[in-house]
């Protein structure tokens, strides 16, 4: 009971190139976005308690119509289920790997300012922050290697039926800018990909566009995933091309060839669109991309829809045009602020 309170943040993420090929043994480049984050606090306590959030786990309503309106706009899910799921996954992982846990209890609480359904990995941010709290509470940073941590986060989400890949979780565990190789042979041998942090100074200024009332980012993988599993030639070859964009993008960033970067960003979206189709992507999401392109900016989804990352190769004058167009359309535009590496000295010692 005298132990200190532990608090961790995990940031939203932007898939810059290669997504969604992380689910298909591909390659991606992602970055952590410090504009938005989830915070989890672990407080030692006599009994184990998962504390509902007063807004996101709302259970008190003024009327039946209030309840229905709330569900229509926010859905059924808050963060309590995420905290419970990572607790279970973490416990079972330690059990399987003969990692001893002390028997002290705790209270978990959370907060988040990541906009819902914007494809910015809000759910995994909560799970990632909670995992970091556990690592410190049980003093296990040296026993659970960094490469395995995204798998634990993904397992907690999969247990809840959330459709996702490893890319987002890697970005949130590592922080900063990360190149990821999910090649099949290595993944099957090691259980994780090859993750390479990159220098943040390689990035040009980027901008985030998102809608106040975004689409559901959890539905757009379904048909493409099955077609890929069935060996559909078009899907397999196109997804491979998407993965190659990240490989090329790594070199392009290292050379600071930003005109080529703009081409790759646009190509990434065009390939996604050809696979998923406009109906799956959603009119609102496509409109955000097209507004950016209208002023000559490169743009693509940050994830699976709900938000767009944009790059203005012509500089401030182009940014002003983008601001004006977003304002007319009712979209929010923000400069991307990059969160640096989240790893400490103990974490680095576990890296292969």
């Amino acid at each position: 009971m005298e132990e200190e309170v532990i608090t961790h943040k995990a940031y939203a993420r932007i898939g810059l190139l290669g997504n969604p090929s992380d689910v298909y043994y591909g390659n991606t480049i992602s970055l952590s976005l410090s504009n938005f984050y989830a915070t989890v606090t672990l407080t030692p306590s006599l009994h184990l308690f998962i504390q509902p959030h007063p807004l996101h786990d709302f259970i008190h309503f003024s009327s039946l119509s209030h309840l229905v309106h709330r569900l229509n706009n926010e859905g059924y899910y808050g963060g309590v289920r995420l905290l419970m799921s990572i607790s279970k996954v973490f416990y079972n992982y330690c059990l399987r790997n003969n990692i001893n846990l002390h028997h002290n209890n705790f209270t978990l609480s959370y907060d988040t300012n990541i906009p819902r359904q914007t494809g910015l990995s809000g759910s995994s941010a909560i799970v990632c922050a909670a995992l970091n709290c556990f690592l410190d509470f049980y003093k296990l940073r040296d026993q659970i290697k960094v490469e395995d941590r995204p798998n634990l986060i993904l397992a907690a989400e999969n247990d809840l039926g959330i459709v996702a890949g490893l890319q987002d979780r890697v970005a949130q565990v590592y922080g900063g800018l990360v190149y990821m190789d999910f090649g099949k042979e290595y993944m099957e041998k090691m259980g994780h990909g090859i993750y390479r942090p990159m220098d943040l100074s390689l990035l040009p200024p980027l901008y985030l566009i998102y809608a106040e009332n975004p689409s559901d980012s959890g539905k757009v993988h379904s048909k493409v995933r099955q077609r890929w599993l069935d060996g559909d030639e078009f899907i397999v070859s196109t997804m491979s091309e998407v993965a190659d964009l990240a490989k090329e993008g790594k070199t392009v960033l290292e050379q600071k060839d930003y005109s080529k970067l703009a081409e790759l960003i646009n190509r990434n979206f065009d390939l996604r669109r050809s696979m998923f189709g406009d109906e799956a992507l959603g009119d609102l999401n496509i409109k955000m991309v097209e507004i950016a392109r209208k002023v000559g900016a490169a743009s693509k989804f940050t994830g699976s829809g709900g938000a767009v990352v944009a790059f203005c190769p012509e500089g401030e004058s182009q940014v002003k045009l983008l601001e004006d167009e977003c304002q007319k359309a009712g979209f929010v535009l923000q400069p991307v602020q990059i969160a640096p590496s989240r790893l400490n000295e103990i974490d680095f010692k576990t890296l292969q």
Side-chain angles (χ1 to χ4, degrees):
M1 294 291 292
E2 294 179 358
E3 294 180 69
E4 64 180 30
V5 174
I6 299 167
T7 299
H8 278 285
K9 282 183 180 179
Y11 293 94
R13 75 87 194 88
I14 287 176
L16 185 62
L17 287 171
N19 60 310
S21 75
D22 58 310
V23 190
Y24 306 91
Y25 298 116
N27 304 76
T28 63
I29 297 175
S30 264
L31 58 101
S32 286
L33 176 72
S34 67
N35 305 55
F36 301 112
Y37 52 85
T39 304
V40 173
T41 299
L42 185 153
T43 306
S45 56
L46 184 60
H47 300 286
L48 199 157
F49 178 51
I50 309 294
Q51 186 171 316
H53 191 279
L55 177 62
H56 305 299
D57 299 292
F58 198 67
I59 56 173
H60 297 282
F61 306 94
S62 60
S63 65
L64 184 59
S65 62
H66 179 207
L67 182 150
V68 172
H69 178 76
R70 165 78 185 194
L71 294 179
N72 286 341
N73 285 279
E74 302 291 334
Y76 292 90
Y77 307 121
V80 166
R81 66 181 185 139
L82 298 167
L83 297 178
M84 294 179 74
S85 185
I86 187 58
S87 298
K88 171 189 168 185
V89 166
F90 174 79
Y91 176 84
N92 286 337
Y93 175 90
C94 292
L95 204 62
R96 287 194 309 272
N97 290 277
N98 298 313
I99 298 173
N100 294 321
L101 302 177
H102 61 68
H103 300 295
N104 297 343
N105 281 328
F106 53 83
T107 295
L108 277 184
S109 60
Y110 79 98
D111 198 5
T112 180
N113 65 2
I114 301 174
R116 294 185 67 257
Q117 300 297 346
T118 49
L120 294 172
S121 300
S123 294
S124 57
I126 294 172
V127 179
C128 181
L131 176 59
N132 275 315
C133 287
F134 289 154
L135 293 175
D136 289 339
F137 183 64
Y138 292 103
K139 296 179 171 55
L140 293 178
R141 285 195 176 273
D142 61 336
Q143 294 188 57
I144 299 179
K145 66 180 185 175
V146 172
E147 292 99 333
D148 286 341
R149 296 175 195 174
N151 297 55
L152 296 180
I153 297 167
L154 183 58
E157 293 178 277
N158 286 345
D159 211 31
L160 297 170
I162 295 173
V163 178
L166 277 169
Q167 171 193 220
D168 306 356
R169 290 89 205 148
V170 174
Q172 289 168 326
V173 166
Y174 281 71
L177 178 68
V178 187
Y179 172 77
M180 310 170 203
D181 182 345
F182 299 101
K184 184 175 182 180
E185 184 178 349
Y186 192 88
M187 285 283 291
E188 290 181 345
K189 178 182 178 181
M190 302 301 297
H192 57 74
I194 301 171
Y195 311 134
R196 296 284 182 259
M198 297 179 67
D199 187 343
L200 296 182
S201 69
L202 298 175
L203 284 172
L206 300 171
Y207 293 85
L208 179 71
I209 304 170
Y210 65 96
E212 296 285 8
N213 298 296
S215 67
D216 184 346
S217 68
K219 296 178 180 178
V220 295
H221 287 293
S222 53
K223 290 182 181 178
V224 168
R225 177 68 177 169
Q226 191 55 55
R227 288 173 65 187
W228 183 83
L229 290 170
D230 292 341
D232 183 302
E233 186 176 339
F234 171 72
I235 296 297
V236 171
S237 62
T238 306
M239 197 63 75
S240 178
E241 188 176 348
V242 170
D244 287 342
L245 295 177
K247 293 180 185 178
E248 186 176 359
K250 182 175 182 291
T251 301
V252 164
L253 281 171
E254 289 168 346
Q255 295 173 347
K256 295 192 175 183
D257 184 351
Y258 295 140
S259 60
K260 185 63 177 178
L261 176 64
E263 293 177 20
L264 297 180
I265 289 172
N266 282 332
R267 182 64 177 157
N268 203 143
F269 176 77
D270 293 342
L271 290 172
R272 175 189 277 271
R273 190 175 190 176
S274 72
M275 288 186 288
F276 288 91
D278 287 5
E279 185 178 355
L281 297 191
D283 293 340
L284 193 66
N285 293 322
I286 293 170
K287 186 178 179 182
M288 284 188 283
V289 171
E290 290 178 340
I291 276 181
R293 292 189 176 185
K294 181 180 177 181
V295 302
S299 59
K300 64 177 290 294
F301 290 176
T302 60
S304 297
V308 162
V309 59
F311 168 48
C312 297
E314 295 172 20
E316 288 300 319
S317 59
Q318 196 172 38
V319 173
K320 182 63 173 68
L321 293 174
L322 182 57
E323 286 176 349
D324 293 342
E325 291 297 329
C326 285
Q327 188 172 18
K328 289 178 194 174
F331 296 137
V332 180
L333 178 71
Q334 289 190 10
V336 167
Q337 300 169 23
I338 305 166
S341 173
R342 306 295 296 158
L343 304 180
N344 63 29
E345 189 176 340
I346 299 173
D347 295 324
F348 280 116
K349 288 180 181 177
T350 74
L351 290 171
Q352 290 189 339

